[in-house]
Amino acid sequence: MRRRTSITLLAAGHACVDVYQGAVAALVPLFVAERAYTYAAVSGVVLAASLLSSVAQPVFGALTDRWAMPWLLPVSTLIGGVGIAVSGLTGSYPLTLLFVALSGIGVAAYHPESARIAREASDGSHTAMAWFSTGGNIGFAVAPLLVAAITGLRWTPLLMVPALAGAAMALPVLQALTRRRNATIPKTGRDDISSFLRLTFAVIFRSIAFVGLSAFVSLYARQRQGGDPAAGTAALFLLYLGGVVGSLLGGSAASRWGRVTTSRWSYGVAVFAIAGVVWAPGPAFYLFVALTSIALYVPFSLQITLGQDYLPSRVGTASGVTLGLTVSVGGLASPVIGALADATSLQAALMPLVVMPALSLLIFQTLRDPAPIRAC
């Protein structure tokens, strides 16, 4: 199988999996409308999807460093879909948390192994890895549209369709891998644990900013537009769609200026953009939502390959942390944001998110761009 075909299928499968991460935030307004959940309660739903996922992803990464587990791609895709599909069928809050957590575990199992396989298939290309990452961003962007289309929680079983498609697309890639068993990324070079740990904190701060916004930007847009549900869907769609643009820009810019320099500039823009989301009046709000998404996603795929290059002997672990934590650990802060919103206002609760990319920027000032590892 040609490299382009493999990356295309992997990117499409990544989209199918990340639909379920985006669906959690997109379901929040339905939980509020149909079950009268408070901000704190819906924060708990986001936390359920994130808590086990954030813990499990490094574990799965360590396991894939020890044993190749390509079968995780279709299996974890199906698990991610099942959890979201059944989450709308029960009126029980604990069961809702359980099913959303199940989906989070499926997503956690998918990312480390898929990133390892994508790096192998891409031969270390920044552009190819950007396309792989873009697939996940497309999944995020499509999620609010899919949730809006089902019109109610009782129709969540229809959200199983992307999982079935994603599992099917993984199979030809896995068949091709069995014919390329010797084409793996060599575990050469020394691990730079100090740089990797600093990168991890930058990823965490970025995650808090993005996941915090994704959990509440829909409700915030509704508030600012007089309760119009379409305003919330539009804001969430822009937040996710901008990631498609950002990832592709990141891969292209890194090829010219390097990953660290590109990431520094993007985090600087993100500080300004999130401030605009919180305070900008009128339609400018949507412009800043899109700019925030682009700025936060420019370093997305770059952080994955940086982590892999900082830990060349543990590519799975590096992928589990940089790719997995990017989209899960931010959920751990969501209950704090929700509780603050209940106590004050949603605008006040979103204000601390402006600081997060500034912290990532400070960390990136201490990092260097290592020479990338290459596939054989």
Side-chain angles (χ1 to χ4, degrees), residues 119-124 180 183-186 373-376:
R119 186 66 185 269
E120 177 181 325
S122 70
D123 295 326
R180 289 186 59 194
T184 58
I185 298 175
I373 54 176
R374 297 280 180 180
C376 293

Side-chain angles (χ1 to χ4, degrees), residues 197-213 267 270-271 274 292 295-296 299 303 321-322 325-334 337 350-367:
L197 290 176
R198 279 176 278 152
L199 175 68
T200 298
F201 279 103
V203 167
I204 288 172
F205 292 133
R206 179 237 178 245
S207 176
I208 291 172
F210 183 79
V211 178
L213 282 174
Y267 279 127
V271 175
I274 296 176
T292 295
L296 288 178
Q303 291 172 159
V321 172
T322 54
L325 288 181
T326 301
V327 288
S328 63
V329 77
L332 304 180
S334 294
I337 299 172
L350 294 177
M351 289 179 186
L353 299 183
V354 177
V355 179
M356 297 299 110
L359 295 174
S360 295
L361 172 60
L362 290 175
I363 291 172
F364 262 88
Q365 298 297 330
T366 72
L367 296 177

Side-chain angles (χ1 to χ4, degrees), residues 88-369:
L89 300 183
T90 174
S92 166
Y93 184 68
L95 284 178
T96 300
L97 298 182
L98 177 64
F99 292 137
V100 171
L102 176 66
S103 177
I105 292 174
V107 171
Y110 175 87
H111 281 104
E113 184 69 353
S114 67
R116 183 188 67 81
I117 291 173
R119 186 66 185 269
E120 177 181 325
S122 70
D123 295 326
S125 166
H126 294 322
T127 302
M129 284 299 291
W131 277 108
F132 168 70
S133 299
T134 298
N137 303 336
I138 292 172
F140 268 103
V142 169
L145 302 181
L146 293 178
V147 172
I150 66 173
T151 70
L153 293 175
R154 69 184 183 278
W155 296 107
T156 53
L158 293 177
L159 296 176
M160 189 65 195
V161 173
L164 296 173
M169 284 185 287
L171 296 179
V173 177
L174 301 188
Q175 290 174 352
L177 281 175
T178 62
R179 296 190 291 269
R180 289 186 59 194
R181 288 182 182 272
N182 62 334
T184 58
I185 298 175
K187 297 181 179 180
T188 59
R190 297 183 62 182
D191 290 341
D192 186 349
I193 296 176
S194 174
S195 293
F196 181 76
L197 290 176
R198 279 176 278 152
L199 175 68
T200 298
F201 279 103
V203 167
I204 288 172
F205 292 133
R206 179 237 178 245
S207 176
I208 291 172
F210 183 79
V211 178
L213 282 174
S214 68
F216 295 103
V217 73
S218 179
L219 294 173
Y220 190 46
R222 286 191 182 195
Q223 283 186 3
R224 298 184 58 160
Q225 300 298 323
D228 183 7
T233 299
L236 196 58
F237 177 70
L238 282 175
L239 184 68
Y240 291 158
L241 183 64
V244 177
V245 178
S247 286
L248 294 178
L249 282 177
S252 178
S255 297
R256 182 171 183 179
W257 293 296
R259 291 170 290 182
V260 170
T261 298
T262 300
S263 297
R264 288 170 183 166
W265 279 103
S266 67
Y267 279 127
V269 172
V271 175
F272 167 76
I274 296 176
V277 170
V278 176
W279 288 293
F285 165 79
Y286 293 101
L287 175 63
F288 282 108
V289 169
L291 183 60
T292 295
S293 179
I294 293 171
L296 288 178
Y297 265 102
V298 163
F300 186 79
S301 66
L302 310 183
Q303 291 172 159
I304 299 170
T305 58
L306 275 172
Q308 292 172 335
D309 291 343
Y310 286 143
L311 290 186
S313 70
R314 287 173 279 184
V315 170
T317 298
S319 302
V321 172
T322 54
L323 179 59
L325 288 181
T326 301
V327 288
S328 63
V329 77
L332 304 180
S334 294
V336 178
I337 299 172
L340 183 59
D342 285 330
T344 56
S345 69
L346 196 48
Q347 184 182 52
L350 294 177
M351 289 179 186
L353 299 183
V354 177
V355 179
M356 297 299 110
L359 295 174
S360 295
L361 172 60
L362 290 175
I363 291 172
F364 262 88
Q365 298 297 330
T366 72
L367 296 177
R368 62 176 181 82
D369 210 328

